[in-house]
């Protein structure tokens, strides 16, 4: 019973934390949502995801998660995203680079989404490893618009750091 109570308090704290800190990740069983925001603020001249660029931020999700990406472009330029395999620093990305079916947006990755537009995609994170989230608008990856995504065998909840 004590464990159950502690867990309830943790969950309440997590819920409150989400409300106040606007965490971009949420985990509910195997379902994970990532609020991926391009052009959030002026970091790297707007060529960023959630304020991160050149790999300075990392989303982590548990292996086996069904990941829904709520993508929103808050920047002044058009942006897109592709989840592609980690390794060599990405210099570009298009839909054919996607590491999982549907792990990109919009359909015309190179054109991107205009300011204020949103798109939701869902994919199954069924291969553990290191990935990049990269903007596919020409020049943006070269300019540093990429962050990390880790699909983890050990993580129990999604996180953003
Ligand atoms: Cu971009």
């Amino acid at each position: 019973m004590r464990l159950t109570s502690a867990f309830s308090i943790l969950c309440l704290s997590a819920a409150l934390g989400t409300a106040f800190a606007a965490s971009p990740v949420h985990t509910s069983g195997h379902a994970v949502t990532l609020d991926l925001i391009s052009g959030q603020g002026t970091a790297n001249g707007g060529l960023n995801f959630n304020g991160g660029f050149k790999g300075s931020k990392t989303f982590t999700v548990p292996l086996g998660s069904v990941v829904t990406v709520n993508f929103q472009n808050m920047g002044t330029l058009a942006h897109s995203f592709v989840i592609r395999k980690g390794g060599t620093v990405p210099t570009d990305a298009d839909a054919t680079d996607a590491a999982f079916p549907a792990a990109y947006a919009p359909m015309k990755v190179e054109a991107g989404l205009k300011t204020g537009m949103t798109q939701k995609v869902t994919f199954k994170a069924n291969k553990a490893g290191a990935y990049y989230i990269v903007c596919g608008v020409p020049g943006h990856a070269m300019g540093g618009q990429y962050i990390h995504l880790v699909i983890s065998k050990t993580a129990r909840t999604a996180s953003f750091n």
Side-chain angles (χ1 to χ4, degrees):
M1 288 304 276
R2 288 185 64 188
L3 270 177
T4 304
S5 299
F7 185 67
S8 299
I9 290 165
L10 271 175
C11 288
L12 180 62
S13 302
L16 290 172
T18 299
F20 290 124
S23 169
V25 297
H26 184 68
T27 310
S28 177
H30 287 298
V32 166
T33 58
L34 305 182
D35 294 330
L36 181 68
I37 298 169
S38 58
Q40 180 177 282
T42 57
N44 197 36
L47 297 184
N48 68 70
F49 290 110
N50 297 74
F53 55 95
K54 295 182 182 171
S56 68
K57 300 277 188 182
T58 302
F59 280 106
T60 301
V61 303
L63 177 63
S65 298
V66 176
V67 180
T68 297
V69 180
N70 293 314
F71 178 49
Q72 180 177 13
N73 181 16
M74 290 178 63
T76 53
L77 302 171
H79 295 288
S80 64
F81 79 91
V82 178
I83 295 174
R84 65 177 300 172
K85 196 89 182 85
T88 307
V89 170
T91 54
D92 60 16
D94 62 36
T96 63
D97 295 314
F100 305 94
Y104 62 94
M107 285 300 279
K108 293 182 178 175
V109 163
E110 294 198 335
L113 287 185
K114 292 189 166 66
T115 302
M117 291 181 72
T118 63
Q119 192 156 15
K120 184 195 292 196
V121 304
T122 299
F123 70 96
K124 181 89 183 282
N126 55 9
K127 282 179 287 184
Y131 300 86
Y132 287 111
I133 301 174
V134 188
C135 184
V137 175
H140 290 197
M142 288 283 278
Q145 194 179 5
Y146 58 89
I147 61 173
H148 296 288
L149 170 71
V150 173
I151 298 177
S152 168
K153 289 177 181 170
T154 54
R156 288 286 163 262
T157 59
S159 61
F160 179 70
N161 293 106

